[in-house]
Amino acid sequence: MTTFPIDADRLRAEAVAILRENDLGGYTIPTRGLYPFQWNWDSCLVALGLAHVDEDRALGEIETLVAHQWPDGMIPHIVFHADHETYFPGPDVWGTARATPTSGITQPPVLGYALRRLLDTARDRTMVAPRVAALLPKVAAWHRWFATARDPHRTGLVAILHPWESGRDNAIDWDEALARVPTEGVGSYVRRDTTHVDAAQRPTKAEYDRYLWLVQRFRSLAWDQATLHDASPFRVVDPGFNAILIRSAEDLAALAQALDAPELAAEAQAQAARGRTALEGLWHDGLGQYAAFDRAAGTLVESASIGGLLPLLALEPGHPRAQALVARLAALRGAVRHPVPSHDPADPRFDRLRYWRGPLWLIANRLVADGLARHGRADAAGEIARDGLALVAKSGFGEYFDPLDGRALGGKRFSWTAAMVLEFLETNRA
Ligand code: DGY
């Protein structure tokens, strides 16, 4: 529980200042130096924060991202709007041959979810509604791409083909699948991330070698998304990623219904229903939560991460598993001073400092809080919001935080942390 006094006006002013300084004109970088381009899910979540300040700019953030959708429907995980020496791997490594270079993989599809929130909370609906309506076919095309390119054998769940697609790059969930990725032929390279951030807070070299091997493999297949799934040694079904996709499909259906696109609504609803049914196959009795499925090995992964709690976002209210997830969350919140850790601290592999292997992330907390509210736990959602605000008030706008002592980690003056502060200030007020 939060006892720290929160100066809401100061937090709001600082959050807005950070979003302004990271605005490179039509798109927002996550932070200077470490991430100098437009990232997919960063931008969609940043739009939620921008919406509290400037709805036109919030929509612009998303429109800029979606303008770089591939012809097959994929929305890439990075858009390299301009050259920057401070990041590796840059456009030359990806070699995707797009007019404006992009990466060749994707990221958690929070787009549909974000658009629904933008419309639901719109102050200027006359401006917002037609712009959201114009984006709906593009969201639907992306979701269709997932259902084919990332679920070619029609299981109802999509695989990520690269840990970077999950957004939780070095989660313990991927360890075994990633260990099977070879490193032969990767060659030498110079990382840039560890010049900006302490190496102890970043993925390891062993992980980076494999991240790069996968990029090189996909590039050798000319980024033909129809062939990548079966050609990749890394194919993992992440419950968090799938929950986000299911929720975005549900939100797309609601938007399409409200904005007079009944066919899109029916298609999205059917996709969400298929996903929900298939998600049950990821339940792990021993962990008491959902778990990743290693599609290449055919096994559920023994890893109690926050990814397995995100199905709260997607389960129908009243679903029997939801209460189990609420209980898991309560236990995790009791286990650390600053919830929610991205991995269960009781697991010996937990690492309080290293990126997605333990630290808490405000965006994950925002998604979890939304899931709790969906399942009738507005009280717990409110506590997570207040804890997050108190933490940023104390430690600053870090990329992520040590869940044991609350110190800020990773990049500084981070856009999505600022955006989530604006979100939490708003939901807390409401
Ligand atoms: C990075 O470079 O750390 C990113 O997470 C890749 O998207």
Side-chain angles (χ1 to χ4, degrees):
M1 279 292 282
T2 298
T3 49
F4 197 86
I6 298 168
D7 181 345
D9 290 342
R10 188 182 69 78
L11 270 182
R12 184 186 311 276
E14 190 65 1
V16 171
I18 289 170
L19 291 178
R20 290 228 168 92
E21 77 195 34
N22 289 339
D23 182 344
L24 296 201
Y27 68 97
T28 306
I29 59 171
T31 186
R32 303 250 162 196
L34 181 62
Y35 298 124
F37 309 107
Q38 185 175 27
W39 261 260
N40 184 325
W41 78 320
D42 288 74
S43 266
C44 294
L45 295 170
V46 159
L48 298 183
L50 287 171
H52 301 297
V53 187
D54 181 344
E55 291 183 311
D56 171 53
R57 181 64 189 77
L59 280 159
E61 183 74 28
I62 288 178
E63 288 160 347
T64 304
L65 173 73
V66 172
H68 298 276
Q69 183 167 36
W70 285 22
D72 65 6
M74 182 182 78
I75 304 184
H77 104 291
I78 306 175
V79 183
F80 298 105
H81 290 283
D83 281 344
H84 274 281
E85 288 304 311
T86 61
Y87 183 80
F88 175 86
D92 298 351
V93 178
W94 291 93
T96 54
R98 302 277 307 153
T100 299
T102 72
S103 72
I105 57 173
T106 195
Q107 251 187 342
V110 287
L111 173 59
Y113 170 78
L115 287 177
R116 183 170 182 192
R117 182 148 171 81
L118 291 189
L119 186 67
D120 282 355
T121 58
R123 294 180 300 280
D124 184 354
R125 203 177 157 94
T126 318
M127 184 273 287
V128 173
R131 288 170 70 179
V132 170
L135 287 163
L136 296 188
K138 300 174 185 191
V139 184
W142 191 21
H143 290 184
R144 242 172 257 135
W145 173 85
F146 274 115
T148 51
R150 295 315 170 80
D151 184 20
H153 308 294
R154 302 291 187 271
T155 68
L157 296 174
V158 302
I160 53 160
L161 306 186
H162 194 297
W164 285 339
E165 290 200 313
S166 71
R168 298 185 295 116
D169 302 2
N170 67 339
I172 291 165
D173 307 10
W174 328 133
D175 284 1
E176 285 162 38
L178 196 63
R180 290 195 306 270
V181 173
T183 56
E184 284 74 38
V186 162
S188 61
Y189 59 92
V190 181
R191 283 173 67 170
R192 302 276 178 218
D193 58 320
T194 45
T195 66
H196 305 291
V197 171
D198 184 344
Q201 299 171 20
R202 293 286 304 174
T204 62
K205 166 154 170 47
E207 285 161 338
Y208 253 79
D209 286 350
R210 290 169 174 83
Y211 297 162
L212 291 172
W213 188 92
L214 288 168
V215 170
Q216 291 171 6
R217 172 85 176 117
F218 300 154
R219 182 182 174 162
S220 77
L221 297 168
W223 298 106
D224 173 6
Q225 299 287 337
T227 65
L228 301 191
H229 180 281
D230 289 356
S232 176
F234 184 92
R235 302 193 294 282
V236 184
V237 180
D238 172 13
F241 194 103
N242 277 278
I244 286 169
L245 179 58
I246 294 165
R247 174 60 181 271
S248 274
E250 173 186 312
D251 288 340
L252 171 61
L255 288 170
Q257 200 67 52
L259 297 171
D260 218 14
E263 281 169 26
L264 275 191
E267 181 191 1
Q269 214 154 30
Q271 189 173 4
R274 255 195 325 275
R276 272 198 202 96
T277 305
L279 193 61
E280 288 314 298
L282 302 184
W283 180 259
H284 189 303
D285 263 329
L287 299 177
Q289 62 169 77
Y290 292 85
F293 178 72
D294 185 337
R295 195 173 261 174
T299 50
L300 270 186
V301 182
E302 296 289 326
S303 178
S305 78
I306 200 162
L309 305 174
L310 291 180
L312 274 178
L313 279 174
L315 297 178
E316 302 274 20
H319 190 288
R321 304 269 193 228
Q323 288 321 309
L325 296 183
V326 169
R328 277 284 299 147
L329 268 167
L332 283 178
R333 290 176 58 218
V336 293
R337 181 137 173 245
H338 301 281
V340 180
S342 49
H343 196 85
D344 188 339
D347 185 330
R349 299 167 295 180
F350 168 85
D351 182 337
R352 63 194 282 186
L353 300 181
R354 207 179 279 283
Y355 212 44
W356 284 96
R357 299 175 79 86
L360 83 94
W361 294 70
L362 243 51
I363 54 121
N365 282 10
R366 173 74 187 86
L367 295 174
V368 161
D370 185 306
L372 284 167
R374 177 180 172 95
H375 295 282
R377 293 303 309 271
D379 55 335
E383 279 172 26
I384 287 181
R386 286 188 291 281
D387 283 347
L389 292 171
L391 179 62
V392 173
K394 185 175 83 158
S395 302
F397 289 76
E399 182 180 3
Y400 42 99
F401 300 86
D402 182 333
L404 303 184
D405 66 13
R407 89 188 100 146
L409 303 168
K412 307 225 175 347
R413 299 183 72 73
F414 219 82
S415 293
W416 73 7
T417 302
M420 295 304 101
V421 162
L422 295 173
E423 274 282 84
F424 281 145
L425 285 169
E426 186 58 33
T427 55
N428 201 36
R429 203 175 54 87

